Amino acid sequence: MNSDAARLVFLFGGIGDQFLWLSLLPEFRRQSRQPVVAVTNRSSSRQIADLFSGRAYDRLEVFEQPNLSGMPPTTSHFQPQRIVRASHIFYDERERYDLIGRFSIGIADLVRLILDIAPDAPVALPNIPDQARRNAANYMREWSLPVGRTVLLAPWALSWRCPLPLSWWTEAVRTLNQRGFTVVSNVGNSGRCDTTKDGALLGAIPGTLPVNVSLSDIIPFTELCGYFLGMRSGLCDLIAHAQVKKLVIYPYAADIDSYLTGLPFDIACRFWSVARAFGRPDVCEEMVNSEIPFAPSLIDSWLDK
């Protein structure tokens, strides 16, 4: 393959950005008829890239720590670059905010513009290897989790500026327990996978079992659980297509002026909507005031849908 004629896509940044880009790269390859070389590291990026092997890229280059010094500072729909980084923040800021504010585009719409593919270009589903499904089943047996009656809780996000207090999540868990569910905390998110001397995981929400499931296995694991409840984070993108009941929380507070990438709350929720990005109306999304105590009606209305 002539790399000079190929598009180079650097898969670095948030989990959600990488997953979304990989979901749209198959259509980019089809429409542009250009080979794609994906560049990644050996950790989470590689795990996500493997879910789209043979479809999102023609070749995968894996490095311990790739040199990004040659990356262009920005890209634009009017001045496309051969080398792009899989993150919207490198897209021309003035153009980005104009599109978001005036035309109400979402994150997937922006990625389609950067890739210069059709506005209705479909997102590709990830391939789940049989080994990942076996791993997920082993997790369920090892931790004695009831299939179809477990909630995967993901209460942390690296980017969203407004967290919910521990008391909110604790009450949510209490309500779920009362409804007959087992709840597990995804402590691998945001580097919360600390351990005790005997290897036990720390950092779980009270009343839950702490679990650390690799990105390679998280989709089939969530499907065996049956339910997902989390703050808006990159993990929500991975779970978007999972055949489970999904509830994504967007917390807000009166003293916060902007949220992800400097957007006000209502626009941030619209731009980052998981349901909209992946065309999944089964993803329930709720805006929650972080200064108001947890209300059990939130869980009940979600479970009744």
Side-chain angles (χ1 to χ4, degrees):
M1 180 189 303
N2 182 1
S3 61
D4 291 336
R7 287 291 289 271
L8 304 179
V9 180
F10 283 73
L11 298 171
F12 298 96
I15 290 172
D17 281 339
Q18 297 175 54
F19 187 82
L20 178 59
W21 277 66
L22 285 159
S23 298
L24 288 168
L25 281 176
E27 187 63 16
F28 167 75
R29 289 177 67 214
R30 189 190 71 81
Q31 290 191 23
S32 67
R33 298 182 181 179
Q34 289 180 290
V36 173
V37 177
V39 183
T40 183
N41 60 24
R42 294 188 183 277
S43 57
S44 59
S45 298
R46 172 63 188 271
Q47 294 179 49
I48 300 171
D50 284 343
L51 298 174
F52 297 90
S53 178
R55 296 178 299 149
Y57 47 83
D58 295 272
R59 190 172 77 221
L60 185 67
E61 294 288 348
V62 183
F63 296 88
E64 290 292 344
Q65 189 62 43
N67 182 0
L68 303 181
S69 60
M71 290 293 298
T74 186
T75 187
S76 166
H77 178 60
F78 304 106
Q79 295 177 313
Q81 300 283 349
R82 185 177 67 86
I83 303 174
V84 294
R85 181 172 176 173
S87 174
H88 72 287
I89 63 174
F90 292 94
Y91 191 68
D92 183 84
E93 185 174 282
R94 291 170 299 175
E95 192 175 341
R96 180 175 81 230
Y97 283 125
D98 192 45
L99 289 166
I100 296 171
R102 292 179 56 194
F103 300 101
S104 301
I105 71 168
I107 179 62
D109 303 315
L110 185 56
V111 176
R112 290 183 178 97
L113 277 170
I114 298 172
L115 293 174
D116 197 22
I117 57 179
D120 60 349
V123 293
L125 299 179
N127 283 332
I128 309 300
D130 290 340
Q131 185 58 54
R133 298 190 184 281
R134 289 191 289 270
N135 293 343
N138 289 336
Y139 289 137
M140 299 297 287
R141 287 192 293 269
E142 178 182 349
W143 297 325
S144 300
L145 302 176
V147 174
R149 294 295 294 176
T150 299
V151 179
L152 175 61
L153 198 70
W156 302 290
L158 285 173
S159 303
W160 196 259
R161 289 190 58 195
C162 183
L164 285 170
L166 177 61
S167 59
W168 195 96
W169 293 107
T170 302
E171 287 304 311
V173 171
R174 192 193 313 275
T175 299
L176 288 165
N177 289 157
Q178 291 172 347
R179 304 299 186 268
F181 291 93
T182 297
V183 186
V184 297
S185 290
N186 175 40
V187 297
N189 192 25
S190 300
R192 286 178 169 79
C193 188
D194 295 325
T195 60
T196 62
K197 290 182 179 180
D198 60 358
L201 293 173
L202 299 174
I205 299 297
T208 72
L209 173 72
V211 299
N212 181 29
V213 179
S214 70
L215 295 178
S216 301
D217 303 333
I218 194 68
I219 297 175
F221 174 74
T222 307
E223 289 186 328
L224 288 177
C225 288
Y227 295 81
F228 173 83
L229 169 59
M231 262 188 68
R232 180 60 174 103
S233 69
L235 183 61
C236 300
D237 296 75
L238 265 71
I239 303 303
H241 298 295
Q243 299 302 308
V244 301
K245 288 185 73 72
K246 302 171 281 276
L247 176 57
V248 178
I249 302 296
Y250 295 79
Y252 64 92
D255 60 344
I256 296 180
D257 296 327
S258 62
Y259 292 78
L260 274 173
T261 56
L263 299 175
F265 178 69
D266 58 335
I267 296 178
C269 292
R270 184 186 69 212
F271 179 71
W272 288 100
S273 168
V274 181
R276 178 179 179 182
F278 294 96
R280 297 293 309 207
D282 61 325
V283 178
C284 297
E285 299 178 294
E286 294 288 345
M287 304 177 186
V288 173
N289 189 337
S290 63
E291 299 171 350
I292 296 178
F294 170 80
S297 58
L298 176 68
I299 294 295
D300 291 332
S301 62
W302 169 50
L303 294 176
D304 289 341
K305 288 181 180 178

